[in-house]
mmCIF file of all heavy atoms in Angstrom:
data_model
loop_
_atom_site.group_PDB
_atom_site.id
_atom_site.type_symbol
_atom_site.label_atom_id
_atom_site.label_comp_id
_atom_site.label_asym_id
_atom_site.label_seq_id
_atom_site.Cartn_x
_atom_site.Cartn_y
_atom_site.Cartn_z
ATOM 1 N N MET A 241 94.013 102.688 99.542
ATOM 2 C CA MET A 241 95.078 101.808 100.017
ATOM 3 C C MET A 241 94.520 100.623 100.804
ATOM 4 O O MET A 241 95.097 99.533 100.804
ATOM 5 C CB MET A 241 96.066 102.596 100.878
ATOM 6 C CG MET A 241 96.914 103.574 100.091
ATOM 7 S SD MET A 241 98.183 102.769 99.087
ATOM 8 C CE MET A 241 99.471 102.525 100.320
ATOM 9 N N GLU A 242 93.389 100.830 101.452
ATOM 10 C CA GLU A 242 92.803 99.732 102.227
ATOM 11 C C GLU A 242 92.277 98.617 101.336
ATOM 12 O O GLU A 242 91.979 97.517 101.811
ATOM 13 C CB GLU A 242 91.675 100.261 103.103
ATOM 14 C CG GLU A 242 90.475 100.786 102.334
ATOM 15 C CD GLU A 242 89.420 101.400 103.238
ATOM 16 O OE1 GLU A 242 89.742 101.712 104.397
ATOM 17 O OE2 GLU A 242 88.287 101.555 102.781
ATOM 18 N N ASP A 243 92.187 98.866 100.032
ATOM 19 C CA ASP A 243 91.725 97.846 99.093
ATOM 20 C C ASP A 243 92.856 96.956 98.591
ATOM 21 O O ASP A 243 92.623 96.026 97.814
ATOM 22 C CB ASP A 243 91.063 98.497 97.875
ATOM 23 C CG ASP A 243 89.799 99.253 98.227
ATOM 24 O OD1 ASP A 243 89.090 98.817 99.149
ATOM 25 O OD2 ASP A 243 89.520 100.284 97.582
ATOM 26 N N VAL A 244 94.091 97.240 99.031
ATOM 27 C CA VAL A 244 95.266 96.562 98.472
ATOM 28 C C VAL A 244 95.906 95.645 99.510
ATOM 29 O O VAL A 244 96.075 96.007 100.677
ATOM 30 C CB VAL A 244 96.306 97.587 97.987
ATOM 31 C CG1 VAL A 244 97.507 96.883 97.348
ATOM 32 C CG2 VAL A 244 95.686 98.554 96.999
ATOM 33 N N ILE A 245 96.293 94.466 99.053
ATOM 34 C CA ILE A 245 97.128 93.551 99.828
ATOM 35 C C ILE A 245 98.571 93.743 99.379
ATOM 36 O O ILE A 245 98.846 93.874 98.192
ATOM 37 C CB ILE A 245 96.716 92.088 99.593
ATOM 38 C CG1 ILE A 245 95.281 91.827 100.042
ATOM 39 C CG2 ILE A 245 97.680 91.124 100.291
ATOM 40 C CD1 ILE A 245 94.740 90.482 99.586
ATOM 41 N N MET A 246 99.496 93.762 100.315
ATOM 42 C CA MET A 246 100.914 93.795 99.995
ATOM 43 C C MET A 246 101.569 92.541 100.553
ATOM 44 O O MET A 246 101.317 92.151 101.702
ATOM 45 C CB MET A 246 101.578 95.035 100.605
ATOM 46 C CG MET A 246 103.105 95.071 100.489
ATOM 47 S SD MET A 246 103.702 95.234 98.792
ATOM 48 C CE MET A 246 105.475 94.926 99.027
ATOM 49 N N VAL A 247 102.397 91.896 99.728
ATOM 50 C CA VAL A 247 103.111 90.693 100.156
ATOM 51 C C VAL A 247 104.608 90.949 100.047
ATOM 52 O O VAL A 247 105.093 91.390 99.002
ATOM 53 C CB VAL A 247 102.730 89.475 99.291
ATOM 54 C CG1 VAL A 247 103.336 88.199 99.885
ATOM 55 C CG2 VAL A 247 101.219 89.329 99.172
ATOM 56 N N GLY A 248 105.356 90.694 101.125
ATOM 57 C CA GLY A 248 106.786 90.964 101.093
ATOM 58 C C GLY A 248 107.557 90.150 102.100
ATOM 59 O O GLY A 248 106.995 89.329 102.846
ATOM 60 N N ASP A 249 108.865 90.411 102.134
ATOM 61 C CA ASP A 249 109.737 89.605 102.990
ATOM 62 C C ASP A 249 110.855 90.379 103.669
ATOM 63 O O ASP A 249 111.520 89.845 104.547
ATOM 64 C CB ASP A 249 110.379 88.482 102.169
ATOM 65 C CG ASP A 249 111.455 88.999 101.212
ATOM 66 O OD1 ASP A 249 111.146 89.903 100.407
ATOM 67 O OD2 ASP A 249 112.598 88.515 101.295
ATOM 68 N N ALA A 250 111.110 91.646 103.245
ATOM 69 C CA ALA A 250 112.328 92.324 103.689
ATOM 70 C C ALA A 250 112.054 93.756 104.136
ATOM 71 O O ALA A 250 110.943 94.268 104.003
ATOM 72 C CB ALA A 250 113.362 92.302 102.567
ATOM 73 N N ASP A 251 113.114 94.411 104.636
ATOM 74 C CA ASP A 251 112.964 95.747 105.212
ATOM 75 C C ASP A 251 112.426 96.764 104.219
ATOM 76 O O ASP A 251 111.692 97.686 104.606
ATOM 77 C CB ASP A 251 114.308 96.229 105.757
ATOM 78 C CG ASP A 251 114.685 95.569 107.076
ATOM 79 O OD1 ASP A 251 113.911 94.723 107.559
ATOM 80 O OD2 ASP A 251 115.755 95.892 107.618
ATOM 81 N N ASN A 252 112.795 96.646 102.938
ATOM 82 C CA ASN A 252 112.299 97.652 101.994
ATOM 83 C C ASN A 252 110.817 97.476 101.673
ATOM 84 O O ASN A 252 110.233 98.281 100.957
ATOM 85 C CB ASN A 252 113.143 97.696 100.710
ATOM 86 C CG ASN A 252 113.018 96.451 99.853
ATOM 87 O OD1 ASN A 252 112.387 95.466 100.215
ATOM 88 N ND2 ASN A 252 113.657 96.488 98.693
ATOM 89 N N ASP A 253 110.198 96.422 102.231
ATOM 90 C CA ASP A 253 108.749 96.218 102.094
ATOM 91 C C ASP A 253 107.959 96.770 103.277
ATOM 92 O O ASP A 253 106.722 96.834 103.219
ATOM 93 C CB ASP A 253 108.430 94.717 101.972
ATOM 94 C CG ASP A 253 109.099 94.064 100.789
ATOM 95 O OD1 ASP A 253 109.082 94.661 99.700
ATOM 96 O OD2 ASP A 253 109.647 92.948 100.940
ATOM 97 N N LEU A 254 108.634 97.154 104.336
ATOM 98 C CA LEU A 254 107.941 97.480 105.586
ATOM 99 C C LEU A 254 106.946 98.625 105.431
ATOM 100 O O LEU A 254 105.810 98.543 105.929
ATOM 101 C CB LEU A 254 108.956 97.806 106.683
ATOM 102 C CG LEU A 254 109.773 96.627 107.205
ATOM 103 C CD1 LEU A 254 110.908 97.120 108.094
ATOM 104 C CD2 LEU A 254 108.882 95.649 107.968
ATOM 105 N N ALA A 255 107.337 99.689 104.755
ATOM 106 C CA ALA A 255 106.436 100.835 104.606
ATOM 107 C C ALA A 255 105.182 100.438 103.849
ATOM 108 O O ALA A 255 104.062 100.819 104.223
ATOM 109 C CB ALA A 255 107.148 101.982 103.893
ATOM 110 N N ALA A 256 105.339 99.657 102.780
ATOM 111 C CA ALA A 256 104.185 99.239 101.986
ATOM 112 C C ALA A 256 103.317 98.253 102.750
ATOM 113 O O ALA A 256 102.082 98.301 102.667
ATOM 114 C CB ALA A 256 104.659 98.629 100.664
ATOM 115 N N LEU A 257 103.933 97.349 103.488
ATOM 116 C CA LEU A 257 103.164 96.394 104.293
ATOM 117 C C LEU A 257 102.332 97.116 105.347
ATOM 118 O O LEU A 257 101.199 96.721 105.637
ATOM 119 C CB LEU A 257 104.111 95.390 104.959
ATOM 120 C CG LEU A 257 104.779 94.381 104.029
ATOM 121 C CD1 LEU A 257 105.960 93.706 104.733
ATOM 122 C CD2 LEU A 257 103.785 93.326 103.541
ATOM 123 N N SER A 258 102.887 98.185 105.915
ATOM 124 C CA SER A 258 102.156 98.968 106.923
ATOM 125 C C SER A 258 101.020 99.764 106.305
ATOM 126 O O SER A 258 99.963 99.935 106.918
ATOM 127 C CB SER A 258 103.119 99.925 107.636
ATOM 128 O OG SER A 258 104.102 99.232 108.346
ATOM 129 N N ALA A 259 101.235 100.282 105.088
ATOM 130 C CA ALA A 259 100.256 101.175 104.457
ATOM 131 C C ALA A 259 99.108 100.430 103.799
ATOM 132 O O ALA A 259 98.029 100.987 103.614
ATOM 133 C CB ALA A 259 100.961 102.045 103.414
ATOM 134 N N ALA A 260 99.330 99.180 103.430
ATOM 135 C CA ALA A 260 98.307 98.407 102.714
ATOM 136 C C ALA A 260 97.148 98.027 103.633
ATOM 137 O O ALA A 260 97.273 98.022 104.863
ATOM 138 C CB ALA A 260 98.939 97.152 102.116
ATOM 139 N N GLY A 261 96.035 97.678 103.002
ATOM 140 C CA GLY A 261 94.894 97.192 103.773
ATOM 141 C C GLY A 261 95.205 95.915 104.508
ATOM 142 O O GLY A 261 94.694 95.670 105.610
ATOM 143 N N LEU A 262 96.049 95.075 103.918
ATOM 144 C CA LEU A 262 96.499 93.838 104.548
ATOM 145 C C LEU A 262 97.943 93.602 104.155
ATOM 146 O O LEU A 262 98.269 93.563 102.971
ATOM 147 C CB LEU A 262 95.639 92.653 104.107
ATOM 148 C CG LEU A 262 96.066 91.274 104.619
ATOM 149 C CD1 LEU A 262 95.976 91.209 106.152
ATOM 150 C CD2 LEU A 262 95.237 90.163 103.986
ATOM 151 N N GLY A 263 98.809 93.448 105.138
ATOM 152 C CA GLY A 263 100.197 93.101 104.902
ATOM 153 C C GLY A 263 100.407 91.624 105.169
ATOM 154 O O GLY A 263 100.023 91.122 106.228
ATOM 155 N N ILE A 264 101.007 90.941 104.221
ATOM 156 C CA ILE A 264 101.239 89.505 104.339
ATOM 157 C C ILE A 264 102.733 89.230 104.265
ATOM 158 O O ILE A 264 103.415 89.660 103.336
ATOM 159 C CB ILE A 264 100.515 88.724 103.227
ATOM 160 C CG1 ILE A 264 98.999 88.922 103.335
ATOM 161 C CG2 ILE A 264 100.873 87.239 103.290
ATOM 162 C CD1 ILE A 264 98.195 88.160 102.278
ATOM 163 N N ALA A 265 103.241 88.479 105.259
ATOM 164 C CA ALA A 265 104.647 88.108 105.309
ATOM 165 C C ALA A 265 104.848 86.744 104.667
ATOM 166 O O ALA A 265 104.087 85.804 104.913
ATOM 167 C CB ALA A 265 105.132 88.065 106.756
ATOM 168 N N MET A 266 105.879 86.650 103.856
ATOM 169 C CA MET A 266 106.278 85.345 103.336
ATOM 170 C C MET A 266 106.869 84.499 104.465
ATOM 171 O O MET A 266 107.399 85.030 105.453
ATOM 172 C CB MET A 266 107.316 85.528 102.231
ATOM 173 C CG MET A 266 106.804 86.248 101.001
ATOM 174 S SD MET A 266 105.558 85.302 100.087
ATOM 175 C CE MET A 266 106.570 83.957 99.425
ATOM 176 N N GLY A 267 106.827 83.193 104.301
ATOM 177 C CA GLY A 267 107.394 82.309 105.314
ATOM 178 C C GLY A 267 108.882 82.493 105.500
ATOM 179 O O GLY A 267 109.426 82.203 106.570
ATOM 180 N N ASN A 268 109.559 82.987 104.469
ATOM 181 C CA ASN A 268 110.993 83.257 104.532
ATOM 182 C C ASN A 268 111.310 84.705 104.907
ATOM 183 O O ASN A 268 112.473 85.118 104.866
ATOM 184 C CB ASN A 268 111.648 82.954 103.186
ATOM 185 C CG ASN A 268 110.962 83.677 102.034
ATOM 186 O OD1 ASN A 268 109.852 83.303 101.651
ATOM 187 N ND2 ASN A 268 111.589 84.705 101.488
ATOM 188 N N ALA A 269 110.292 85.478 105.293
ATOM 189 C CA ALA A 269 110.506 86.891 105.639
ATOM 190 C C ALA A 269 111.377 87.024 106.883
ATOM 191 O O ALA A 269 111.461 86.111 107.718
ATOM 192 C CB ALA A 269 109.160 87.571 105.874
ATOM 193 N N ASN A 270 112.014 88.197 107.006
ATOM 194 C CA ASN A 270 112.789 88.427 108.220
ATOM 195 C C ASN A 270 111.858 88.652 109.408
ATOM 196 O O ASN A 270 110.640 88.830 109.256
ATOM 197 C CB ASN A 270 113.793 89.575 108.031
ATOM 198 C CG ASN A 270 113.143 90.940 107.851
ATOM 199 O OD1 ASN A 270 112.115 91.245 108.444
ATOM 200 N ND2 ASN A 270 113.766 91.797 107.046
ATOM 201 N N ASP A 271 112.420 88.629 110.593
ATOM 202 C CA ASP A 271 111.602 88.682 111.807
ATOM 203 C C ASP A 271 110.835 89.986 111.933
ATOM 204 O O ASP A 271 109.711 90.010 112.453
ATOM 205 C CB ASP A 271 112.483 88.476 113.044
ATOM 206 C CG ASP A 271 113.012 87.054 113.158
ATOM 207 O OD1 ASP A 271 112.432 86.155 112.508
ATOM 208 O OD2 ASP A 271 114.010 86.848 113.884
ATOM 209 N N THR A 272 111.414 91.096 111.472
ATOM 210 C CA THR A 272 110.731 92.384 111.558
ATOM 211 C C THR A 272 109.455 92.367 110.727
ATOM 212 O O THR A 272 108.399 92.845 111.171
ATOM 213 C CB THR A 272 111.654 93.516 111.076
ATOM 214 O OG1 THR A 272 112.873 93.483 111.817
ATOM 215 C CG2 THR A 272 110.991 94.873 111.261
ATOM 216 N N VAL A 273 109.532 91.814 109.534
ATOM 217 C CA VAL A 273 108.356 91.717 108.665
ATOM 218 C C VAL A 273 107.313 90.800 109.298
ATOM 219 O O VAL A 273 106.114 91.120 109.314
ATOM 220 C CB VAL A 273 108.761 91.213 107.269
ATOM 221 C CG1 VAL A 273 107.535 90.877 106.427
ATOM 222 C CG2 VAL A 273 109.610 92.254 106.551
ATOM 223 N N LYS A 274 107.740 89.684 109.836
ATOM 224 C CA LYS A 274 106.792 88.738 110.436
ATOM 225 C C LYS A 274 106.084 89.343 111.642
ATOM 226 O O LYS A 274 104.887 89.118 111.851
ATOM 227 C CB LYS A 274 107.515 87.450 110.827
ATOM 228 C CG LYS A 274 107.918 86.591 109.637
ATOM 229 C CD LYS A 274 108.642 85.325 110.087
ATOM 230 C CE LYS A 274 108.992 84.439 108.906
ATOM 231 N NZ LYS A 274 109.748 83.233 109.319
ATOM 232 N N ARG A 275 106.804 90.123 112.424
ATOM 233 C CA ARG A 275 106.167 90.770 113.585
ATOM 234 C C ARG A 275 105.150 91.810 113.146
ATOM 235 O O ARG A 275 104.122 92.009 113.809
ATOM 236 C CB ARG A 275 107.226 91.414 114.480
ATOM 237 C CG ARG A 275 108.033 90.447 115.314
ATOM 238 C CD ARG A 275 108.807 91.172 116.405
ATOM 239 N NE ARG A 275 109.803 92.087 115.843
ATOM 240 C CZ ARG A 275 111.064 91.755 115.591
ATOM 241 N NH1 ARG A 275 111.487 90.528 115.830
ATOM 242 N NH2 ARG A 275 111.903 92.648 115.092
ATOM 243 N N LEU A 276 105.413 92.479 112.046
ATOM 244 C CA LEU A 276 104.533 93.548 111.582
ATOM 245 C C LEU A 276 103.232 93.012 110.998
ATOM 246 O O LEU A 276 102.160 93.606 111.198
ATOM 247 C CB LEU A 276 105.259 94.378 110.521
ATOM 248 C CG LEU A 276 104.436 95.462 109.822
ATOM 249 C CD1 LEU A 276 104.123 96.598 110.789
ATOM 250 C CD2 LEU A 276 105.180 95.998 108.606
ATOM 251 N N CYS A 277 103.313 91.906 110.275
ATOM 252 C CA CYS A 277 102.167 91.447 109.480
ATOM 253 C C CYS A 277 101.234 90.539 110.273
ATOM 254 O O CYS A 277 101.686 89.646 110.991
ATOM 255 C CB CYS A 277 102.664 90.694 108.244
ATOM 256 S SG CYS A 277 103.571 91.717 107.080
ATOM 257 N N PRO A 278 99.921 90.716 110.099
ATOM 258 C CA PRO A 278 98.963 89.852 110.788
ATOM 259 C C PRO A 278 98.823 88.478 110.153
ATOM 260 O O PRO A 278 98.234 87.577 110.758
ATOM 261 C CB PRO A 278 97.644 90.634 110.673
ATOM 262 C CG PRO A 278 97.798 91.431 109.420
ATOM 263 C CD PRO A 278 99.257 91.792 109.346
ATOM 264 N N VAL A 279 99.349 88.316 108.938
ATOM 265 C CA VAL A 279 99.186 87.068 108.191
ATOM 266 C C VAL A 279 100.544 86.623 107.671
ATOM 267 O O VAL A 279 101.361 87.434 107.237
ATOM 268 C CB VAL A 279 98.218 87.268 107.000
ATOM 269 C CG1 VAL A 279 98.216 86.048 106.083
ATOM 270 C CG2 VAL A 279 96.813 87.546 107.500
ATOM 271 N N GLN A 280 100.763 85.311 107.718
ATOM 272 C CA GLN A 280 101.972 84.733 107.141
ATOM 273 C C GLN A 280 101.580 83.568 106.240
ATOM 274 O O GLN A 280 100.690 82.784 106.572
ATOM 275 C CB GLN A 280 102.912 84.243 108.246
ATOM 276 C CG GLN A 280 104.222 83.649 107.738
ATOM 277 C CD GLN A 280 105.148 83.249 108.879
ATOM 278 O OE1 GLN A 280 105.232 83.934 109.891
ATOM 279 N NE2 GLN A 280 105.837 82.127 108.711
ATOM 280 N N VAL A 281 102.241 83.463 105.086
ATOM 281 C CA VAL A 281 101.980 82.375 104.145
ATOM 282 C C VAL A 281 103.248 81.557 103.978
ATOM 283 O O VAL A 281 104.263 81.807 104.623
ATOM 284 C CB VAL A 281 101.483 82.917 102.786
ATOM 285 C CG1 VAL A 281 100.095 83.524 102.922
ATOM 286 C CG2 VAL A 281 102.474 83.931 102.204
ATOM 287 N N ALA A 282 103.215 80.571 103.094
ATOM 288 C CA ALA A 282 104.370 79.713 102.855
ATOM 289 C C ALA A 282 105.537 80.519 102.292
ATOM 290 O O ALA A 282 105.379 81.675 101.867
ATOM 291 C CB ALA A 282 103.990 78.589 101.898
ATOM 292 N N ASP A 283 106.718 79.916 102.264
ATOM 293 C CA ASP A 283 107.893 80.637 101.781
ATOM 294 C C ASP A 283 107.919 80.700 100.252
ATOM 295 O O ASP A 283 107.046 80.152 99.573
ATOM 296 C CB ASP A 283 109.177 80.029 102.351
ATOM 297 C CG ASP A 283 109.439 78.608 101.879
ATOM 298 O OD1 ASP A 283 109.141 78.277 100.708
ATOM 299 O OD2 ASP A 283 109.980 77.814 102.676
#
Side-chain angles (χ1 to χ4, degrees):
M241 290 287 277
E242 66 184 17
D243 295 326
V244 182
I245 298 169
M246 172 67 190
V247 188
D249 72 305
D251 284 1
N252 68 354
D253 301 316
L254 290 170
L257 290 165
S258 297
L262 176 63
I264 298 181
M266 295 293 291
N268 53 287
N270 67 36
D271 290 341
T272 305
V273 170
K274 288 180 178 177
R275 285 194 296 269
L276 174 70
C277 295
V279 171
Q280 181 177 322
V281 292
D283 65 36

